[in-house]
């Protein structure tokens, strides 16, 4: 049955808002130039969110008057699955401001637009307060400092907080944060299992 396919498993994870956005995304020839894939999606649209159907019925709706072709439908499902996965990645990217900032810096740097890249780098760096930074913010601060050090070595900035020492400090802070996060995860997991964590286990995690 169609509803057991990997494609439908992916599509069922989309909320109503995401589904509407995906339909619009997939029907754009910029994102999908394959007309048969778009035809398959049109046949699937009325079936959201349950996607309960027979493959033969969906094929008939997508290609009226054409004899059922299982191999062709399988290929089109693969194309649509790839499209859905790209859409999910894009949605995740749009919600990840830190990754966007790093890629913006890298793109500007690779094109030799060092002044714009440095401005973006410094603004992002100065917005993070080390004393109150979360683990994710500490990681981002390290990534920015790494790029800052590269800028300093290339002569595009002379800021002291983009030195080797500053980079090491940010790496140490991020490393400590990750250890504490892993420790909390393990404590929670063992608590659920009724197994209190031992002091030796805590020390082992912190020493790594």
């Amino acid at each position: 049955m169609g509803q057991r396919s990997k494609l439908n498993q992916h599509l069922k994870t989309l909320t109503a808002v995401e589904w509407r956005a995906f339909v619009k995304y997939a029907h754009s020839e910029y994102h999908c130039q394959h007309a048969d894939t778009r035809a398959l999606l049109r046949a699937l649209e009325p079936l959201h969110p349950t996607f309960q159907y027979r493959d033969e019925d969906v094929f008939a709706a997508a290609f009226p008057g054409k004899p059922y072709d299982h191999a062709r439908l399988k290929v089109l499902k693969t194309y649509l699955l790839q499209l859905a996965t790209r859409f999910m990645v894009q949605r995740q990217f749009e919600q990840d401001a830190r990754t966007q900032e790093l890629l913006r810096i890298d793109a500007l740097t690779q094109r030799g637009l060092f002044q714009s890249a440095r401005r973006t780098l410094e603004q992002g760096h100065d917005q993070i307060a080390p004393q109150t930074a979360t683990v994710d913010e500490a990681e981002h601060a390290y990534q920015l400092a790494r790029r800052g050090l590269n800028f300093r070595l290339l002569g595009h900035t002379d800021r002291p907080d983009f030195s080797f020492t500053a980079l090491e400090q940010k790496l140490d802070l991020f490393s400590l944060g990750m250890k504490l996060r892993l420790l909390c995860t393990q404590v929670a997991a063992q608590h659920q299992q009724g197994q209190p964590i031992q002091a030796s286990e805590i020390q082992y995690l912190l020493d790594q």
Side-chain angles (χ1 to χ4, degrees):
M1 295 295 288
Q3 58 266 31
R4 297 177 181 176
S5 72
K6 184 180 294 185
L7 169 64
N8 294 342
Q9 291 173 2
H10 281 63
L11 295 182
K12 285 181 180 180
T13 68
L14 299 177
T15 66
V17 173
E18 289 174 333
W19 173 250
R20 290 194 295 271
F22 172 65
V23 169
K24 182 177 180 181
Y25 172 93
H27 281 310
S28 166
E29 291 190 11
Y30 177 81
H31 298 295
C32 179
Q33 299 179 2
H34 197 265
D36 286 356
T37 302
R38 297 197 301 272
L40 173 60
L41 177 59
R42 278 193 294 272
L44 291 174
E45 286 175 34
L47 304 174
H48 178 269
T50 61
F51 296 106
Q52 295 183 357
Y53 60 84
R54 295 172 62 251
D55 284 342
E56 293 82 355
D57 294 336
V58 165
F59 190 91
F63 309 105
K66 300 291 184 179
Y68 176 66
D69 187 334
H70 179 73
R72 182 183 180 188
L73 180 61
K74 185 176 181 180
V75 170
L76 293 177
K77 281 188 174 183
T78 299
Y79 289 161
L80 193 55
L81 174 61
Q82 293 172 349
L83 195 62
T85 302
R86 288 201 301 270
F87 170 78
M88 293 175 182
V89 171
Q90 180 172 313
R91 294 284 289 192
Q92 185 68 32
F93 173 74
E94 290 171 351
Q95 298 170 12
D96 191 342
R98 297 189 185 100
T99 296
Q100 291 182 45
E101 186 172 60
L102 294 175
L103 291 177
R104 189 180 307 118
I105 293 168
D106 292 345
L108 292 170
T109 301
Q110 291 172 8
R111 294 175 181 274
L113 302 171
F114 299 112
Q115 184 175 354
S116 296
R118 187 185 70 245
R119 186 181 303 112
T120 302
L121 171 63
E122 293 175 347
Q123 288 175 348
H125 178 273
D126 294 343
Q127 288 174 356
I128 300 175
Q131 298 83 358
T132 59
T134 65
V135 176
D136 291 337
E137 288 172 337
E139 179 184 15
H140 190 57
Y142 165 71
Q143 294 290 350
L144 290 171
R146 185 169 63 82
R147 288 162 172 78
L149 176 59
N150 185 55
F151 266 53
R152 184 170 180 172
L153 294 175
L154 293 174
H156 297 303
T157 183
D158 57 359
R159 287 181 53 150
D161 48 0
F162 287 152
S163 64
F164 278 109
T165 300
L167 180 63
E168 289 176 339
Q169 291 173 345
K170 288 180 173 59
L171 179 57
D172 289 343
L173 181 62
F174 168 56
S175 177
L176 176 60
M178 281 301 300
K179 290 178 181 179
L180 293 175
R181 173 181 282 180
L182 291 173
L183 178 59
C184 290
T185 300
Q186 184 164 341
V187 168
Q190 293 192 204
H191 176 73
Q192 290 180 346
Q193 299 171 5
Q195 300 175 352
I197 192 168
Q198 304 298 316
S200 58
E201 294 177 290
I202 296 176
Q203 192 61 50
Y204 173 78
L205 284 173
L206 295 177
D207 287 343
Q208 296 306 303

